[in-house]
Amino acid sequence: MINAITHSQVYVLDQDEAVDFYVGRLGLEVTADVDLGFMRWLTVSIPGHPERQILLEKPGAPAMSEETAQQVRELLTKGGSLIFSTDDCRKTYETLLGRGVEFTEEPTDRPYGTDCALRDPFGNSIRITQPKA
């Protein structure tokens, strides 16, 4: 039976810009960057945790036709969603602010813990959550 989630995917319009953001600002690491000819397989993960990767995928072949890819590119600013966890949401927020990350929500206490929100350069929503102890 299925025993793990190994990869999740978010669409990005520019994979180099995505690396700058996800690695350079958020602090993830590139897990794979492979030119397959028909596409670039680019994944990032939390440092030291390559068992769970995020595929930073440009809309297009081979996953979809050019017509569908154009529709996805137009909808991309509506964004997908990622949720990361942290041991200290407020400290992570301050660190990322210092790296130039722009937030859509400051850290806020919620019933499940403390979290904040931002968007990547392509419109994908990202939440950073410190679960309640």
Side-chain angles (χ1 to χ4, degrees), residues 1-81:
M1 294 303 300
I2 296 171
N3 63 10
I5 297 172
T6 62
H7 293 75
S8 298
Q9 168 269 351
V10 294
Y11 288 119
V12 299
L13 297 177
D14 181 307
Q15 289 173 306
D16 291 327
E17 185 178 0
V19 169
D20 288 344
F21 180 77
Y22 284 93
V23 175
R25 294 192 183 205
L26 295 188
L28 304 183
E29 63 185 13
V30 172
T31 312
D33 190 353
V34 181
D35 181 354
L36 298 175
F38 56 88
M39 72 173 286
R40 179 180 178 190
W41 181 265
L42 175 62
T43 63
V44 294
S45 64
I46 302 295
H49 293 279
E51 68 278 2
R52 178 68 198 257
Q53 300 177 30
I54 301 167
L55 173 63
L56 303 173
E57 184 176 7
K58 282 181 68 175
M64 60 188 70
S65 69
E66 182 51 37
E67 179 182 350
T68 300
Q70 183 56 38
Q71 292 170 343
V72 170
R73 286 189 287 272
E74 290 170 8
L75 291 172
L76 187 57
T77 57
K78 307 278 189 249
S81 181

Side-chain angles (χ1 to χ4, degrees), residues 40-123:
R40 179 180 178 190
W41 181 265
L42 175 62
T43 63
V44 294
S45 64
I46 302 295
H49 293 279
E51 68 278 2
R52 178 68 198 257
Q53 300 177 30
I54 301 167
L55 173 63
L56 303 173
E57 184 176 7
K58 282 181 68 175
M64 60 188 70
S65 69
E66 182 51 37
E67 179 182 350
T68 300
Q70 183 56 38
Q71 292 170 343
V72 170
R73 286 189 287 272
E74 290 170 8
L75 291 172
L76 187 57
T77 57
K78 307 278 189 249
S81 181
L82 293 170
I83 301 172
F84 295 109
S85 67
T86 183
D87 293 330
D88 188 334
C89 185
R90 295 180 197 286
K91 182 177 179 183
T92 300
Y93 171 83
E94 292 298 331
T95 298
L96 295 180
L97 269 180
R99 294 181 187 167
V101 173
E102 296 179 22
F103 285 81
T104 56
E105 289 181 39
E106 294 180 358
T108 304
D109 293 329
R110 308 209 186 265
Y112 51 83
T114 305
D115 76 355
C116 56
L118 60 129
R119 289 196 178 277
D120 75 5
F122 316 102

